Amino acid sequence: MSLPKTLAEDVARNLVMVAKLIDEDPEQAYAYSRIALRLASRVAAVREAAGFAAYATQKYAEALAEFRAARRMTGGVDLWPVMADCERGLGRPERAMAMAGEPEVQKLDKAGQVEMRLVAAGARRDMGQIEAAIVTLQSPELASNSVQPWTARLRYAYADALLSAGREDEAREWFGKTIEADKDGATDASDRLAELDGVEFVDAMGEDEDEPGTPVETGADADAEAGVAVDVDVDDDVEADVDVDDDINDDIEAEADDKNSHDKG
């Protein structure tokens, strides 16, 4: 006896909701992921989606467990960088650094290797090794004039590390390069550059401004937040794995058949 088609479709609908909500409402996405997990815990796409939802809500231990489960099911290495970042989230940067040196990294595609470099640099910063973090980010991908999906985030992480090291002029240059690559405004590089230049953009609804929206000089230098932009491209990854197709339904139905056979035995 196979799993009813309506139940398989219900799992798929929950996965789609995870992908849809993970950026705008991660807690709600997490709730949907738990429903899918209860319905089909032996489906790799479900475990991966549950991992990303937990990651987005900073439940790093849970996320790591789900990513490990998904990796055991698929045998792939795509989740290696985000698994390492979970180790950072759990306060274990030394484990993240150890993962950066494992053979799995060499099996990653270019995007995955850049993600791993970002995670490793973040781990260096966690350990107070800011200069080592800067060196970690220095790479052909950083030096390239070609704009790739990872370019803006890589440049931003480098600029932020330089600023944390007190190398303000270089940081200003790299925040500027980040803006050139960040066509979608995914980073706040323009705001960071404005802070360095002593410019504050006033809220148009403010009460004290003569001309709303006019840039105003300020004498205060804002302290830059430490940290590296390492958020994995969660929406793309989850959507790729939660596509509502026959493969998911087949996997779920196969799970039900196995369970049913076991019960009969």
Side-chain angles (χ1 to χ4, degrees):
M1 178 180 176
S2 62
L3 192 70
K5 182 178 180 181
T6 53
L7 184 55
E9 290 173 347
D10 191 37
V11 173
R13 280 194 298 269
N14 280 284
L15 293 181
V16 169
M17 292 305 297
V18 173
K20 182 178 180 180
L21 295 172
I22 198 161
D23 288 328
E24 61 187 56
D25 191 349
E27 289 292 345
Q28 190 62 37
Y30 175 77
Y32 277 108
S33 76
R34 301 307 297 176
I35 296 172
L37 195 58
R38 287 196 298 270
L39 293 172
S41 62
R42 290 173 60 188
V43 176
V46 171
R47 303 305 291 266
E48 185 171 337
F52 277 116
Y55 178 85
T57 53
Q58 300 184 358
K59 298 176 176 68
Y60 297 116
E62 186 177 322
L64 185 57
E66 296 300 339
F67 289 142
R68 284 173 173 168
R71 185 169 179 268
R72 284 195 299 270
M73 292 175 180
T74 65
V77 297
D78 293 348
L79 296 172
W80 197 253
V82 71
M83 289 169 62
D85 204 42
C86 286
E87 294 287 6
R88 284 187 62 211
L90 291 168
R92 302 190 294 238
E94 69 285 348
R95 293 193 185 182
M97 284 304 306
M99 291 179 69
E102 294 292 336
E104 283 82 355
V105 176
Q106 302 306 315
K107 300 175 184 178
L108 294 167
D109 60 14
K110 183 62 67 176
Q113 290 181 5
V114 171
E115 293 293 345
M116 194 69 244
R117 188 177 293 276
L118 287 166
V119 173
R124 290 290 190 189
R125 293 186 64 166
D126 293 343
M127 295 186 288
Q129 302 172 3
I130 186 62
E131 291 297 336
I134 291 171
V135 172
T136 298
L137 292 168
Q138 293 170 346
S139 60
E141 292 79 19
L142 179 68
S144 174
N145 291 322
S146 174
V147 176
Q148 302 295 332
W150 59 76
T151 302
R153 289 172 42 249
L154 183 59
R155 291 179 180 180
Y156 182 94
Y158 190 60
D160 191 51
L162 288 168
L163 188 59
S164 293
R167 295 158 62 173
E168 187 173 305
D169 290 341
E170 293 174 84
R172 180 181 286 104
E173 176 188 355
W174 280 95
F175 277 129
K177 290 183 177 181
T178 301
I179 295 170
E180 293 174 0
D182 190 10
K183 303 302 181 184
D184 297 328
T187 72
D188 64 348
S190 58
D191 293 338
R192 301 292 297 278
L193 187 58
E195 289 176 5
L196 286 173
D197 290 336
V199 177
E200 177 182 330
F201 288 93
V202 181
D203 187 346
M205 298 302 291
E207 298 178 357
D208 299 329
E209 302 81 15
D210 292 331
E211 296 184 23
T214 303
V216 177
E217 295 292 331
T218 178
D221 291 328
D223 293 331
E225 285 187 359
V228 179
V230 294
D231 65 305
V232 295
D233 196 348
V234 174
D235 194 46
D236 289 346
D237 288 343
V238 175
E239 287 189 16
D241 286 304
V242 302
D243 189 21
V244 187
D245 57 18
D246 292 337
D247 289 339
I248 289 179
N249 292 343
D250 290 345
D251 287 343
I252 297 169
E253 292 176 4
E255 175 190 347
D257 289 339
D258 290 344
K259 182 177 180 181
N260 189 57
S261 297
H262 176 73
D263 292 342
K264 288 181 177 181

